mmCIF file with all atom_site columns, all heavy atoms in Angstrom:
data_model
loop_
_atom_site.group_PDB
_atom_site.id
_atom_site.type_symbol
_atom_site.label_atom_id
_atom_site.label_alt_id
_atom_site.label_comp_id
_atom_site.label_asym_id
_atom_site.label_entity_id
_atom_site.label_seq_id
_atom_site.pdbx_PDB_ins_code
_atom_site.Cartn_x
_atom_site.Cartn_y
_atom_site.Cartn_z
_atom_site.occupancy
_atom_site.B_iso_or_equiv
_atom_site.pdbx_formal_charge
_atom_site.auth_seq_id
_atom_site.auth_comp_id
_atom_site.auth_asym_id
_atom_site.auth_atom_id
_atom_site.pdbx_PDB_model_num
ATOM 1   N N   . LEU N 1 1  ? -9.220  -0.695  6.636   1.00 98.00 ? 11 LEU N N   1
ATOM 2   C CA  . LEU N 1 1  ? -8.469  -0.490  5.398   1.00 98.00 ? 11 LEU N CA  1
ATOM 3   C C   . LEU N 1 1  ? -8.052  -1.853  4.869   1.00 98.00 ? 11 LEU N C   1
ATOM 4   O O   . LEU N 1 1  ? -7.300  -2.584  5.522   1.00 98.00 ? 11 LEU N O   1
ATOM 5   C CB  . LEU N 1 1  ? -7.233  0.378   5.657   1.00 98.00 ? 11 LEU N CB  1
ATOM 6   C CG  . LEU N 1 1  ? -6.246  0.524   4.486   1.00 98.00 ? 11 LEU N CG  1
ATOM 7   C CD1 . LEU N 1 1  ? -6.922  1.143   3.260   1.00 98.00 ? 11 LEU N CD1 1
ATOM 8   C CD2 . LEU N 1 1  ? -5.037  1.364   4.907   1.00 98.00 ? 11 LEU N CD2 1
ATOM 9   N N   . LEU N 1 2  ? -8.570  -2.193  3.684   1.00 98.00 ? 12 LEU N N   1
ATOM 10  C CA  . LEU N 1 2  ? -8.249  -3.454  3.037   1.00 98.00 ? 12 LEU N CA  1
ATOM 11  C C   . LEU N 1 2  ? -7.336  -3.219  1.851   1.00 98.00 ? 12 LEU N C   1
ATOM 12  O O   . LEU N 1 2  ? -7.492  -2.231  1.125   1.00 98.00 ? 12 LEU N O   1
ATOM 13  C CB  . LEU N 1 2  ? -9.525  -4.140  2.528   1.00 98.00 ? 12 LEU N CB  1
ATOM 14  C CG  . LEU N 1 2  ? -10.549 -4.623  3.546   1.00 98.00 ? 12 LEU N CG  1
ATOM 15  C CD1 . LEU N 1 2  ? -11.725 -5.275  2.818   1.00 98.00 ? 12 LEU N CD1 1
ATOM 16  C CD2 . LEU N 1 2  ? -9.934  -5.606  4.527   1.00 98.00 ? 12 LEU N CD2 1
ATOM 17  N N   . VAL N 1 3  ? -6.396  -4.125  1.634   1.00 98.00 ? 13 VAL N N   1
ATOM 18  C CA  . VAL N 1 3  ? -5.572  -4.097  0.427   1.00 98.00 ? 13 VAL N CA  1
ATOM 19  C C   . VAL N 1 3  ? -5.653  -5.478  -0.226  1.00 98.00 ? 13 VAL N C   1
ATOM 20  O O   . VAL N 1 3  ? -5.918  -6.490  0.442   1.00 98.00 ? 13 VAL N O   1
ATOM 21  C CB  . VAL N 1 3  ? -4.100  -3.735  0.721   1.00 98.00 ? 13 VAL N CB  1
ATOM 22  C CG1 . VAL N 1 3  ? -4.003  -2.359  1.347   1.00 98.00 ? 13 VAL N CG1 1
ATOM 23  C CG2 . VAL N 1 3  ? -3.455  -4.776  1.638   1.00 98.00 ? 13 VAL N CG2 1
ATOM 24  N N   . ASN N 1 4  ? -5.441  -5.530  -1.539  1.00 96.00 ? 14 ASN N N   1
ATOM 25  C CA  . ASN N 1 4  ? -5.527  -6.824  -2.210  1.00 96.00 ? 14 ASN N CA  1
ATOM 26  C C   . ASN N 1 4  ? -4.249  -7.637  -1.992  1.00 96.00 ? 14 ASN N C   1
ATOM 27  O O   . ASN N 1 4  ? -3.231  -7.120  -1.513  1.00 96.00 ? 14 ASN N O   1
ATOM 28  C CB  . ASN N 1 4  ? -5.838  -6.650  -3.698  1.00 96.00 ? 14 ASN N CB  1
ATOM 29  C CG  . ASN N 1 4  ? -4.740  -5.917  -4.439  1.00 96.00 ? 14 ASN N CG  1
ATOM 30  O OD1 . ASN N 1 4  ? -3.563  -6.250  -4.311  1.00 96.00 ? 14 ASN N OD1 1
ATOM 31  N ND2 . ASN N 1 4  ? -5.106  -4.923  -5.220  1.00 96.00 ? 14 ASN N ND2 1
ATOM 32  N N   . LYS N 1 5  ? -4.344  -8.901  -2.339  1.00 95.00 ? 15 LYS N N   1
ATOM 33  C CA  . LYS N 1 5  ? -3.245  -9.822  -2.058  1.00 95.00 ? 15 LYS N CA  1
ATOM 34  C C   . LYS N 1 5  ? -1.977  -9.486  -2.826  1.00 95.00 ? 15 LYS N C   1
ATOM 35  O O   . LYS N 1 5  ? -0.866  -9.823  -2.388  1.00 95.00 ? 15 LYS N O   1
ATOM 36  C CB  . LYS N 1 5  ? -3.674  -11.257 -2.381  1.00 95.00 ? 15 LYS N CB  1
ATOM 37  C CG  . LYS N 1 5  ? -4.760  -11.805 -1.501  1.00 95.00 ? 15 LYS N CG  1
ATOM 38  C CD  . LYS N 1 5  ? -4.955  -13.291 -1.707  1.00 95.00 ? 15 LYS N CD  1
ATOM 39  C CE  . LYS N 1 5  ? -5.345  -13.619 -3.129  1.00 95.00 ? 15 LYS N CE  1
ATOM 40  N NZ  . LYS N 1 5  ? -5.571  -15.094 -3.321  1.00 95.00 ? 15 LYS N NZ  1
ATOM 41  N N   . GLU N 1 6  ? -2.132  -8.855  -3.995  1.00 96.00 ? 16 GLU N N   1
ATOM 42  C CA  . GLU N 1 6  ? -0.970  -8.577  -4.834  1.00 96.00 ? 16 GLU N CA  1
ATOM 43  C C   . GLU N 1 6  ? -0.190  -7.342  -4.392  1.00 96.00 ? 16 GLU N C   1
ATOM 44  O O   . GLU N 1 6  ? 0.946   -7.135  -4.818  1.00 96.00 ? 16 GLU N O   1
ATOM 45  C CB  . GLU N 1 6  ? -1.422  -8.388  -6.285  1.00 96.00 ? 16 GLU N CB  1
ATOM 46  C CG  . GLU N 1 6  ? -2.212  -9.553  -6.857  1.00 96.00 ? 16 GLU N CG  1
ATOM 47  C CD  . GLU N 1 6  ? -1.445  -10.855 -6.795  1.00 96.00 ? 16 GLU N CD  1
ATOM 48  O OE1 . GLU N 1 6  ? -0.226  -10.838 -7.063  1.00 96.00 ? 16 GLU N OE1 1
ATOM 49  O OE2 . GLU N 1 6  ? -2.059  -11.894 -6.476  1.00 96.00 ? 16 GLU N OE2 1
ATOM 50  N N   . THR N 1 7  ? -0.790  -6.519  -3.544  1.00 96.00 ? 17 THR N N   1
ATOM 51  C CA  . THR N 1 7  ? -0.107  -5.301  -3.087  1.00 96.00 ? 17 THR N CA  1
ATOM 52  C C   . THR N 1 7  ? 0.955   -5.675  -2.057  1.00 96.00 ? 17 THR N C   1
ATOM 53  O O   . THR N 1 7  ? 0.641   -6.318  -1.046  1.00 96.00 ? 17 THR N O   1
ATOM 54  C CB  . THR N 1 7  ? -1.120  -4.322  -2.454  1.00 96.00 ? 17 THR N CB  1
ATOM 55  O OG1 . THR N 1 7  ? -2.116  -3.999  -3.427  1.00 96.00 ? 17 THR N OG1 1
ATOM 56  C CG2 . THR N 1 7  ? -0.435  -3.056  -1.994  1.00 96.00 ? 17 THR N CG2 1
ATOM 57  N N   . PRO N 1 8  ? 2.227   -5.314  -2.278  1.00 96.00 ? 18 PRO N N   1
ATOM 58  C CA  . PRO N 1 8  ? 3.309   -5.720  -1.382  1.00 96.00 ? 18 PRO N CA  1
ATOM 59  C C   . PRO N 1 8  ? 3.358   -4.904  -0.087  1.00 96.00 ? 18 PRO N C   1
ATOM 60  O O   . PRO N 1 8  ? 4.339   -4.217  0.205   1.00 96.00 ? 18 PRO N O   1
ATOM 61  C CB  . PRO N 1 8  ? 4.556   -5.506  -2.233  1.00 96.00 ? 18 PRO N CB  1
ATOM 62  C CG  . PRO N 1 8  ? 4.196   -4.383  -3.144  1.00 96.00 ? 18 PRO N CG  1
ATOM 63  C CD  . PRO N 1 8  ? 2.726   -4.574  -3.451  1.00 96.00 ? 18 PRO N CD  1
ATOM 64  N N   . ALA N 1 9  ? 2.254   -4.978  0.660   1.00 97.00 ? 19 ALA N N   1
ATOM 65  C CA  . ALA N 1 9  ? 2.187   -4.302  1.965   1.00 97.00 ? 19 ALA N CA  1
ATOM 66  C C   . ALA N 1 9  ? 1.332   -5.157  2.881   1.00 97.00 ? 19 ALA N C   1
ATOM 67  O O   . ALA N 1 9  ? 0.166   -5.436  2.570   1.00 97.00 ? 19 ALA N O   1
ATOM 68  C CB  . ALA N 1 9  ? 1.587   -2.908  1.818   1.00 97.00 ? 19 ALA N CB  1
ATOM 69  N N   . ASN N 1 10 ? 1.907   -5.586  3.986   1.00 97.00 ? 20 ASN N N   1
ATOM 70  C CA  . ASN N 1 10 ? 1.195   -6.443  4.934   1.00 97.00 ? 20 ASN N CA  1
ATOM 71  C C   . ASN N 1 10 ? 0.942   -5.761  6.262   1.00 97.00 ? 20 ASN N C   1
ATOM 72  O O   . ASN N 1 10 ? 0.436   -6.394  7.196   1.00 97.00 ? 20 ASN N O   1
ATOM 73  C CB  . ASN N 1 10 ? 1.984   -7.736  5.155   1.00 97.00 ? 20 ASN N CB  1
ATOM 74  C CG  . ASN N 1 10 ? 2.123   -8.542  3.882   1.00 97.00 ? 20 ASN N CG  1
ATOM 75  O OD1 . ASN N 1 10 ? 1.132   -8.884  3.243   1.00 97.00 ? 20 ASN N OD1 1
ATOM 76  N ND2 . ASN N 1 10 ? 3.361   -8.845  3.495   1.00 97.00 ? 20 ASN N ND2 1
ATOM 77  N N   . SER N 1 11 ? 1.276   -4.487  6.349   1.00 98.00 ? 21 SER N N   1
ATOM 78  C CA  . SER N 1 11 ? 1.062   -3.730  7.583   1.00 98.00 ? 21 SER N CA  1
ATOM 79  C C   . SER N 1 11 ? 0.855   -2.269  7.212   1.00 98.00 ? 21 SER N C   1
ATOM 80  O O   . SER N 1 11 ? 1.107   -1.855  6.067   1.00 98.00 ? 21 SER N O   1
ATOM 81  C CB  . SER N 1 11 ? 2.266   -3.861  8.520   1.00 98.00 ? 21 SER N CB  1
ATOM 82  O OG  . SER N 1 11 ? 3.402   -3.201  7.964   1.00 98.00 ? 21 SER N OG  1
ATOM 83  N N   . TRP N 1 12 ? 0.400   -1.488  8.181   1.00 98.00 ? 22 TRP N N   1
ATOM 84  C CA  . TRP N 1 12 ? 0.198   -0.063  7.936   1.00 98.00 ? 22 TRP N CA  1
ATOM 85  C C   . TRP N 1 12 ? 1.516   0.622   7.584   1.00 98.00 ? 22 TRP N C   1
ATOM 86  O O   . TRP N 1 12 ? 1.586   1.420   6.654   1.00 98.00 ? 22 TRP N O   1
ATOM 87  C CB  . TRP N 1 12 ? -0.438  0.592   9.156   1.00 98.00 ? 22 TRP N CB  1
ATOM 88  C CG  . TRP N 1 12 ? -0.469  2.091   9.108   1.00 98.00 ? 22 TRP N CG  1
ATOM 89  C CD1 . TRP N 1 12 ? 0.179   2.959   9.929   1.00 98.00 ? 22 TRP N CD1 1
ATOM 90  C CD2 . TRP N 1 12 ? -1.191  2.909   8.167   1.00 98.00 ? 22 TRP N CD2 1
ATOM 91  N NE1 . TRP N 1 12 ? -0.094  4.267   9.576   1.00 98.00 ? 22 TRP N NE1 1
ATOM 92  C CE2 . TRP N 1 12 ? -0.928  4.261   8.492   1.00 98.00 ? 22 TRP N CE2 1
ATOM 93  C CE3 . TRP N 1 12 ? -2.016  2.635   7.081   1.00 98.00 ? 22 TRP N CE3 1
ATOM 94  C CZ2 . TRP N 1 12 ? -1.459  5.325   7.777   1.00 98.00 ? 22 TRP N CZ2 1
ATOM 95  C CZ3 . TRP N 1 12 ? -2.566  3.690   6.367   1.00 98.00 ? 22 TRP N CZ3 1
ATOM 96  C CH2 . TRP N 1 12 ? -2.282  5.030   6.708   1.00 98.00 ? 22 TRP N CH2 1
ATOM 97  N N   . ASP N 1 13 ? 2.574   0.321   8.306   1.00 97.00 ? 23 ASP N N   1
ATOM 98  C CA  . ASP N 1 13 ? 3.868   0.940   8.025   1.00 97.00 ? 23 ASP N CA  1
ATOM 99  C C   . ASP N 1 13 ? 4.351   0.601   6.616   1.00 97.00 ? 23 ASP N C   1
ATOM 100 O O   . ASP N 1 13 ? 4.893   1.467   5.909   1.00 97.00 ? 23 ASP N O   1
ATOM 101 C CB  . ASP N 1 13 ? 4.910   0.494   9.064   1.00 97.00 ? 23 ASP N CB  1
ATOM 102 C CG  . ASP N 1 13 ? 4.681   1.136   10.433  1.00 97.00 ? 23 ASP N CG  1
ATOM 103 O OD1 . ASP N 1 13 ? 4.034   2.206   10.487  1.00 97.00 ? 23 ASP N OD1 1
ATOM 104 O OD2 . ASP N 1 13 ? 5.141   0.564   11.438  1.00 97.00 ? 23 ASP N OD2 1
ATOM 105 N N   . GLU N 1 14 ? 4.162   -0.654  6.206   1.00 98.00 ? 24 GLU N N   1
ATOM 106 C CA  . GLU N 1 14 ? 4.573   -1.048  4.860   1.00 98.00 ? 24 GLU N CA  1
ATOM 107 C C   . GLU N 1 14 ? 3.709   -0.367  3.805   1.00 98.00 ? 24 GLU N C   1
ATOM 108 O O   . GLU N 1 14 ? 4.202   0.006   2.734   1.00 98.00 ? 24 GLU N O   1
ATOM 109 C CB  . GLU N 1 14 ? 4.491   -2.567  4.714   1.00 98.00 ? 24 GLU N CB  1
ATOM 110 C CG  . GLU N 1 14 ? 5.546   -3.318  5.520   1.00 98.00 ? 24 GLU N CG  1
ATOM 111 C CD  . GLU N 1 14 ? 5.422   -4.818  5.370   1.00 98.00 ? 24 GLU N CD  1
ATOM 112 O OE1 . GLU N 1 14 ? 4.529   -5.285  4.617   1.00 98.00 ? 24 GLU N OE1 1
ATOM 113 O OE2 . GLU N 1 14 ? 6.221   -5.550  5.996   1.00 98.00 ? 24 GLU N OE2 1
ATOM 114 N N   . PHE N 1 15 ? 2.437   -0.187  4.093   1.00 98.00 ? 25 PHE N N   1
ATOM 115 C CA  . PHE N 1 15 ? 1.538   0.487   3.162   1.00 98.00 ? 25 PHE N CA  1
ATOM 116 C C   . PHE N 1 15 ? 1.958   1.938   2.968   1.00 98.00 ? 25 PHE N C   1
ATOM 117 O O   . PHE N 1 15 ? 2.015   2.438   1.840   1.00 98.00 ? 25 PHE N O   1
ATOM 118 C CB  . PHE N 1 15 ? 0.098   0.414   3.682   1.00 98.00 ? 25 PHE N CB  1
ATOM 119 C CG  . PHE N 1 15 ? -0.920  1.049   2.782   1.00 98.00 ? 25 PHE N CG  1
ATOM 120 C CD1 . PHE N 1 15 ? -1.440  0.366   1.694   1.00 98.00 ? 25 PHE N CD1 1
ATOM 121 C CD2 . PHE N 1 15 ? -1.365  2.343   3.019   1.00 98.00 ? 25 PHE N CD2 1
ATOM 122 C CE1 . PHE N 1 15 ? -2.388  0.947   0.860   1.00 98.00 ? 25 PHE N CE1 1
ATOM 123 C CE2 . PHE N 1 15 ? -2.309  2.942   2.193   1.00 98.00 ? 25 PHE N CE2 1
ATOM 124 C CZ  . PHE N 1 15 ? -2.823  2.236   1.110   1.00 98.00 ? 25 PHE N CZ  1
ATOM 125 N N   . VAL N 1 16 ? 2.269   2.616   4.072   1.00 98.00 ? 26 VAL N N   1
ATOM 126 C CA  . VAL N 1 16 ? 2.706   4.016   3.996   1.00 98.00 ? 26 VAL N CA  1
ATOM 127 C C   . VAL N 1 16 ? 4.011   4.121   3.212   1.00 98.00 ? 26 VAL N C   1
ATOM 128 O O   . VAL N 1 16 ? 4.168   5.000   2.351   1.00 98.00 ? 26 VAL N O   1
ATOM 129 C CB  . VAL N 1 16 ? 2.866   4.610   5.410   1.00 98.00 ? 26 VAL N CB  1
ATOM 130 C CG1 . VAL N 1 16 ? 3.508   5.993   5.348   1.00 98.00 ? 26 VAL N CG1 1
ATOM 131 C CG2 . VAL N 1 16 ? 1.507   4.695   6.098   1.00 98.00 ? 26 VAL N CG2 1
ATOM 132 N N   . ALA N 1 17 ? 4.946   3.220   3.500   1.00 98.00 ? 27 ALA N N   1
ATOM 133 C CA  . ALA N 1 17 ? 6.228   3.244   2.797   1.00 98.00 ? 27 ALA N CA  1
ATOM 134 C C   . ALA N 1 17 ? 6.037   3.032   1.297   1.00 98.00 ? 27 ALA N C   1
ATOM 135 O O   . ALA N 1 17 ? 6.676   3.709   0.478   1.00 98.00 ? 27 ALA N O   1
ATOM 136 C CB  . ALA N 1 17 ? 7.157   2.165   3.375   1.00 98.00 ? 27 ALA N CB  1
ATOM 137 N N   . LEU N 1 18 ? 5.165   2.101   0.929   1.00 97.00 ? 28 LEU N N   1
ATOM 138 C CA  . LEU N 1 18 ? 4.890   1.834   -0.478  1.00 97.00 ? 28 LEU N CA  1
ATOM 139 C C   . LEU N 1 18 ? 4.249   3.049   -1.149  1.00 97.00 ? 28 LEU N C   1
ATOM 140 O O   . LEU N 1 18 ? 4.621   3.430   -2.264  1.00 97.00 ? 28 LEU N O   1
ATOM 141 C CB  . LEU N 1 18 ? 3.969   0.621   -0.605  1.00 97.00 ? 28 LEU N CB  1
ATOM 142 C CG  . LEU N 1 18 ? 3.579   0.204   -2.028  1.00 97.00 ? 28 LEU N CG  1
ATOM 143 C CD1 . LEU N 1 18 ? 4.816   -0.220  -2.822  1.00 97.00 ? 28 LEU N CD1 1
ATOM 144 C CD2 . LEU N 1 18 ? 2.552   -0.935  -1.982  1.00 97.00 ? 28 LEU N CD2 1
ATOM 145 N N   . ALA N 1 19 ? 3.290   3.669   -0.446  1.00 97.00 ? 29 ALA N N   1
ATOM 146 C CA  . ALA N 1 19 ? 2.610   4.847   -1.008  1.00 97.00 ? 29 ALA N CA  1
ATOM 147 C C   . ALA N 1 19 ? 3.571   6.004   -1.204  1.00 97.00 ? 29 ALA N C   1
ATOM 148 O O   . ALA N 1 19 ? 3.442   6.779   -2.160  1.00 97.00 ? 29 ALA N O   1
ATOM 149 C CB  . ALA N 1 19 ? 1.457   5.250   -0.103  1.00 97.00 ? 29 ALA N CB  1
ATOM 150 N N   . LYS N 1 20 ? 4.522   6.152   -0.309  1.00 97.00 ? 30 LYS N N   1
ATOM 151 C CA  . LYS N 1 20 ? 5.501   7.234   -0.437  1.00 97.00 ? 30 LYS N CA  1
ATOM 152 C C   . LYS N 1 20 ? 6.493   6.952   -1.567  1.00 97.00 ? 30 LYS N C   1
ATOM 153 O O   . LYS N 1 20 ? 7.002   7.891   -2.199  1.00 97.00 ? 30 LYS N O   1
ATOM 154 C CB  . LYS N 1 20 ? 6.241   7.430   0.891   1.00 97.00 ? 30 LYS N CB  1
ATOM 155 C CG  . LYS N 1 20 ? 5.380   8.078   1.981   1.00 97.00 ? 30 LYS N CG  1
ATOM 156 C CD  . LYS N 1 20 ? 6.162   8.334   3.244   1.00 97.00 ? 30 LYS N CD  1
ATOM 157 C CE  . LYS N 1 20 ? 5.316   9.080   4.265   1.00 97.00 ? 30 LYS N CE  1
ATOM 158 N NZ  . LYS N 1 20 ? 6.059   9.333   5.531   1.00 97.00 ? 30 LYS N NZ  1
ATOM 159 N N   . THR N 1 21 ? 6.772   5.687   -1.802  1.00 96.00 ? 31 THR N N   1
ATOM 160 C CA  . THR N 1 21 ? 7.679   5.319   -2.894  1.00 96.00 ? 31 THR N CA  1
ATOM 161 C C   . THR N 1 21 ? 7.038   5.587   -4.254  1.00 96.00 ? 31 THR N C   1
ATOM 162 O O   . THR N 1 21 ? 7.709   5.987   -5.206  1.00 96.00 ? 31 THR N O   1
ATOM 163 C CB  . THR N 1 21 ? 8.053   3.827   -2.787  1.00 96.00 ? 31 THR N CB  1
ATOM 164 O OG1 . THR N 1 21 ? 8.681   3.590   -1.527  1.00 96.00 ? 31 THR N OG1 1
ATOM 165 C CG2 . THR N 1 21 ? 9.008   3.425   -3.904  1.00 96.00 ? 31 THR N CG2 1
ATOM 166 N N   . GLU N 1 22 ? 5.694   5.373   -4.318  1.00 91.00 ? 32 GLU N N   1
ATOM 167 C CA  . GLU N 1 22 ? 4.976   5.532   -5.584  1.00 91.00 ? 32 GLU N CA  1
ATOM 168 C C   . GLU N 1 22 ? 3.782   6.478   -5.384  1.00 91.00 ? 32 GLU N C   1
ATOM 169 O O   . GLU N 1 22 ? 2.623   6.038   -5.396  1.00 91.00 ? 32 GLU N O   1
ATOM 170 C CB  . GLU N 1 22 ? 4.500   4.174   -6.088  1.00 91.00 ? 32 GLU N CB  1
ATOM 171 C CG  . GLU N 1 22 ? 5.636   3.165   -6.279  1.00 91.00 ? 32 GLU N CG  1
ATOM 172 C CD  . GLU N 1 22 ? 5.130   1.789   -6.673  1.00 91.00 ? 32 GLU N CD  1
ATOM 173 O OE1 . GLU N 1 22 ? 4.032   1.417   -6.231  1.00 91.00 ? 32 GLU N OE1 1
ATOM 174 O OE2 . GLU N 1 22 ? 5.827   1.095   -7.421  1.00 91.00 ? 32 GLU N OE2 1
ATOM 175 N N   . PRO N 1 23 ? 4.022   7.782   -5.195  1.00 94.00 ? 33 PRO N N   1
ATOM 176 C CA  . PRO N 1 23 ? 2.930   8.728   -4.932  1.00 94.00 ? 33 PRO N CA  1
ATOM 177 C C   . PRO N 1 23 ? 1.869   8.717   -6.030  1.00 94.00 ? 33 PRO N C   1
ATOM 178 O O   . PRO N 1 23 ? 2.192   8.795   -7.221  1.00 94.00 ? 33 PRO N O   1
ATOM 179 C CB  . PRO N 1 23 ? 3.647   10.088  -4.885  1.00 94.00 ? 33 PRO N CB  1
ATOM 180 C CG  . PRO N 1 23 ? 5.064   9.758   -4.564  1.00 94.00 ? 33 PRO N CG  1
ATOM 181 C CD  . PRO N 1 23 ? 5.335   8.449   -5.229  1.00 94.00 ? 33 PRO N CD  1
ATOM 182 N N   . GLY N 1 24 ? 0.607   8.580   -5.618  1.00 94.00 ? 34 GLY N N   1
ATOM 183 C CA  . GLY N 1 24 ? -0.503  8.625   -6.560  1.00 94.00 ? 34 GLY N CA  1
ATOM 184 C C   . GLY N 1 24 ? -0.724  7.361   -7.359  1.00 94.00 ? 34 GLY N C   1
ATOM 185 O O   . GLY N 1 24 ? -1.632  7.324   -8.200  1.00 94.00 ? 34 GLY N O   1
ATOM 186 N N   . LYS N 1 25 ? 0.059   6.323   -7.130  1.00 95.00 ? 35 LYS N N   1
ATOM 187 C CA  . LYS N 1 25 ? -0.089  5.099   -7.919  1.00 95.00 ? 35 LYS N CA  1
ATOM 188 C C   . LYS N 1 25 ? -1.092  4.135   -7.304  1.00 95.00 ? 35 LYS N C   1
ATOM 189 O O   . LYS N 1 25 ? -1.822  3.440   -8.019  1.00 95.00 ? 35 LYS N O   1
ATOM 190 C CB  . LYS N 1 25 ? 1.263   4.396   -8.079  1.00 95.00 ? 35 LYS N CB  1
ATOM 191 C CG  . LYS N 1 25 ? 1.191   3.176   -8.994  1.00 95.00 ? 35 LYS N CG  1
ATOM 192 C CD  . LYS N 1 25 ? 2.563   2.556   -9.230  1.00 95.00 ? 35 LYS N CD  1
ATOM 193 C CE  . LYS N 1 25 ? 2.469   1.337   -10.137 1.00 95.00 ? 35 LYS N CE  1
ATOM 194 N NZ  . LYS N 1 25 ? 3.790   0.722   -10.404 1.00 95.00 ? 35 LYS N NZ  1
ATOM 195 N N   . LEU N 1 26 ? -1.151  4.064   -5.975  1.00 96.00 ? 36 LEU N N   1
ATOM 196 C CA  . LEU N 1 26 ? -2.074  3.141   -5.315  1.00 96.00 ? 36 LEU N CA  1
ATOM 197 C C   . LEU N 1 26 ? -3.506  3.644   -5.490  1.00 96.00 ? 36 LEU N C   1
ATOM 198 O O   . LEU N 1 26 ? -3.846  4.753   -5.082  1.00 96.00 ? 36 LEU N O   1
ATOM 199 C CB  . LEU N 1 26 ? -1.744  3.010   -3.832  1.00 96.00 ? 36 LEU N CB  1
ATOM 200 C CG  . LEU N 1 26 ? -0.369  2.422   -3.485  1.00 96.00 ? 36 LEU N CG  1
ATOM 201 C CD1 . LEU N 1 26 ? -0.203  2.323   -1.977  1.00 96.00 ? 36 LEU N CD1 1
ATOM 202 C CD2 . LEU N 1 26 ? -0.200  1.047   -4.127  1.00 96.00 ? 36 LEU N CD2 1
ATOM 203 N N   . VAL N 1 27 ? -4.347  2.814   -6.090  1.00 97.00 ? 37 VAL N N   1
ATOM 204 C CA  . VAL N 1 27 ? -5.740  3.196   -6.359  1.00 97.00 ? 37 VAL N CA  1
ATOM 205 C C   . VAL N 1 27 ? -6.612  2.889   -5.152  1.00 97.00 ? 37 VAL N C   1
ATOM 206 O O   . VAL N 1 27 ? -6.675  1.743   -4.681  1.00 97.00 ? 37 VAL N O   1
ATOM 207 C CB  . VAL N 1 27 ? -6.278  2.463   -7.604  1.00 97.00 ? 37 VAL N CB  1
ATOM 208 C CG1 . VAL N 1 27 ? -7.772  2.756   -7.787  1.00 97.00 ? 37 VAL N CG1 1
ATOM 209 C CG2 . VAL N 1 27 ? -5.501  2.884   -8.840  1.00 97.00 ? 37 VAL N CG2 1
ATOM 210 N N   . HIS N 1 28 ? -7.276  3.916   -4.664  1.00 97.00 ? 38 HIS N N   1
ATOM 211 C CA  . HIS N 1 28 ? -8.264  3.778   -3.591  1.00 97.00 ? 38 HIS N CA  1
ATOM 212 C C   . HIS N 1 28 ? -9.629  3.647   -4.247  1.00 97.00 ? 38 HIS N C   1
ATOM 213 O O   . HIS N 1 28 ? -10.151 4.602   -4.811  1.00 97.00 ? 38 HIS N O   1
ATOM 214 C CB  . HIS N 1 28 ? -8.198  4.999   -2.659  1.00 97.00 ? 38 HIS N CB  1
ATOM 215 C CG  . HIS N 1 28 ? -9.386  5.125   -1.749  1.00 97.00 ? 38 HIS N CG  1
ATOM 216 N ND1 . HIS N 1 28 ? -9.832  6.344   -1.274  1.00 97.00 ? 38 HIS N ND1 1
ATOM 217 C CD2 . HIS N 1 28 ? -10.228 4.202   -1.222  1.00 97.00 ? 38 HIS N CD2 1
ATOM 218 C CE1 . HIS N 1 28 ? -10.878 6.171   -0.506  1.00 97.00 ? 38 HIS N CE1 1
ATOM 219 N NE2 . HIS N 1 28 ? -11.147 4.885   -0.461  1.00 97.00 ? 38 HIS N NE2 1
#
């Protein structure tokens, strides 16, 4: 799972937290 540099998530836990804060906003 890759994320771009501008996405404020540097770990899986941070990615999940970000996705839960903004449901449906993160583009896969």
Side-chain angles (χ1 to χ4, degrees):
L11 172 59
L12 294 180
V13 299
N14 64 49
K15 294 190 300 181
E16 304 303 319
T17 301
N20 298 304
S21 68
W22 170 245
D23 287 337
E24 290 179 1
F25 181 82
V26 172
L28 180 63
K30 288 184 175 179
T31 301
E32 302 175 327
K35 185 175 180 179
L36 297 181
V37 174
H38 165 208

